[in-house]
């Protein structure tokens, strides 16, 4: 597979915001364990290492390299535009007469974005529409079904859905970044002690696991021959 060009870094190394924008954790703090090692005498540290809690210190000494799921890894897997822009999900898009007419045609309030249910209904009666109108429906289906990935009857966000009125702008928008944020925001909000439904393109996490854990790739990923690109397309899953 050809090497993939990665997006520019969002933050300077070492200056990433804590937790809000990055996946972070508090365990395995090197400063803490170096302090322990320096403070204790050799026999004391060895006693600690042989205690019933020895697994933690031995794990630290392995210099374990954790697998991270980040925006950069997401872009590598999915191959979509992940560039930074201001007001990514809160664009101001003027409601023109053309937009109001198209929204009415697909049966959606001009103040909302279409749901998958509404898009399906419109797709069943669009055969006589102009080509651009049908293409707009097609792109809205991708937006609703994969990028937003919400409940079948739930409205999508109007600020983003309205971009479809300019197809070139819509196609070149940083949807990779939007898709990543939708998924991460949904996961952060879940109570994993109960049954839950995740918004967004959750399948990309499964593909990431296949890439991170090669044994799962072989046994469960059902990899396709010739390693298609982007990596998202390299597995059928559910073997």
């Amino acid at each position: 597979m050809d090497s993939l060009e990665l997006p520019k870094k969002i933050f300077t190394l070492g200056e990433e915001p804590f937790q809000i924008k990055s996946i972070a954790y508090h365990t395995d703090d090197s400063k803490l364990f170096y302090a322990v090692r320096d403070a204790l005498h050799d026999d004391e540290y060895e006693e600690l290492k042989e205690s019933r809690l020895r697994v933690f210190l031995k794990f630290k000494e392995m210099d374990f390299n954790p697998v991270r799921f980040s925006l950069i890894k997401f872009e590598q897997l999915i191959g979509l535009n992940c560039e930074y822009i201001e007001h990514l999900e809160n664009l101001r898009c003027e409601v023109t007469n053309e937009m109001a007419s198209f929204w009415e045609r697909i049966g959606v309030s001009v103040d909302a974005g279409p749901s998958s249910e509404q898009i399906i209904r419109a797709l069943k009666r669009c055969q006589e529409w102009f080509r651009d109108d049908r293409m707009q429906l097609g792109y809205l289906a991708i937006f609703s079904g994969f990028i937003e990935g919400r409940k079948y009857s739930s409205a999508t966000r109007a600020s983003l859905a309205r971009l479809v009125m300019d197809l070139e702008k819509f196609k070149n928008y940083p949807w990779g970044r939007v898709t990543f944020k939708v998924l991460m925001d949904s996961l952060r909000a879940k109570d994993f002690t109960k049954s839950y439904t995740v918004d967004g393109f959750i399948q990309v996490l499964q593909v990431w696991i296949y890439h991170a854990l090669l044994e799962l790739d072989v046994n469960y990923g059902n990899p396709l021959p010739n390693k298609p690109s982007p990596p998202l397309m390299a597995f059928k899953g559910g073997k």
Side-chain angles (χ1 to χ4, degrees):
M1 184 188 303
D2 294 337
S3 60
L4 298 174
E5 183 179 351
L6 299 179
K8 295 180 180 179
K9 290 181 179 179
I10 307 171
F11 307 105
T12 301
L13 185 63
E15 297 181 6
E16 303 91 339
F18 183 67
Q19 287 191 325
I20 296 176
K21 296 290 184 181
S22 302
I23 297 177
Y25 51 87
H26 297 288
T27 59
D28 196 18
D29 185 332
S30 294
K31 292 181 180 179
L32 173 64
F33 287 103
Y34 289 148
V36 170
R37 185 66 188 90
D38 291 342
L40 299 185
H41 295 170
D42 288 345
D43 64 310
E44 295 167 343
Y45 185 74
E46 287 302 316
E47 181 177 335
L48 205 60
K49 279 181 60 177
E50 296 305 319
S51 73
R52 297 190 67 175
L53 300 181
R54 60 185 176 272
V55 63
F56 295 112
L57 292 181
K58 292 187 175 182
F59 178 83
K60 175 61 185 174
E61 291 179 351
M62 287 172 54
D63 195 22
F64 182 78
N65 185 23
V67 175
R68 299 178 185 272
F69 184 70
S70 64
L71 178 62
I72 290 177
K73 176 58 71 175
F74 186 86
E75 196 275 345
Q76 182 181 1
L77 289 173
I78 203 167
L80 291 178
N81 181 1
C82 292
E83 291 180 2
Y84 171 82
I85 65 169
E86 292 186 1
H87 312 298
L88 176 71
E89 298 174 289
N90 298 291
L91 295 176
R92 291 185 178 181
C93 191
E94 180 184 358
V95 179
T96 63
N97 290 335
E98 180 187 9
M99 180 188 297
S101 176
F102 182 68
W103 250 234
E104 182 180 3
R105 200 171 192 184
I106 60 178
V108 181
S109 167
V110 75
D111 296 321
S115 66
S116 293
E117 183 177 27
Q118 291 168 322
I119 293 170
I120 290 171
R121 286 204 298 263
L123 287 166
K124 291 180 178 178
R125 50 183 169 80
C126 74
Q127 287 74 18
E128 302 302 321
W129 294 12
F130 290 118
R131 184 181 188 279
D132 281 354
D133 292 344
R134 291 196 303 272
M135 291 303 298
Q136 286 170 333
L137 271 182
Y139 281 112
L140 282 174
I142 293 173
F143 171 66
S144 174
F146 293 97
I147 296 172
E148 292 271 90
R150 298 188 181 190
K151 186 179 177 181
Y152 175 73
S153 58
S154 296
T156 53
R157 288 172 289 179
S159 60
L160 291 173
R162 288 170 179 169
L163 289 170
V164 82
M165 299 308 298
D166 182 339
L167 285 179
E168 282 306 308
K169 185 175 182 179
F170 188 93
K171 287 185 284 188
N172 290 295
Y173 201 70
W175 291 118
R177 198 180 193 93
V178 175
T179 306
F180 179 80
K181 191 172 186 304
V182 169
L183 178 58
M184 292 296 100
D185 287 349
S186 180
L187 288 171
R188 289 189 189 106
K190 298 305 173 186
D191 180 355
F192 293 106
T193 64
K194 304 176 182 178
S195 297
Y196 58 90
T197 301
V198 176
D199 293 340
F201 191 37
I202 187 67
Q203 293 88 341
V204 73
L205 284 177
Q206 186 172 340
V207 175
W208 168 64
I209 290 171
Y210 294 153
H211 277 268
L213 305 173
L214 297 182
E215 185 174 345
L216 288 179
D217 163 2
V218 174
N219 293 332
Y220 300 99
N222 200 3
L224 297 175
N226 302 321
K227 296 184 177 180
S229 181
L232 178 70
M233 310 301 297
F235 303 94
K236 290 188 68 176
K239 185 175 179 181

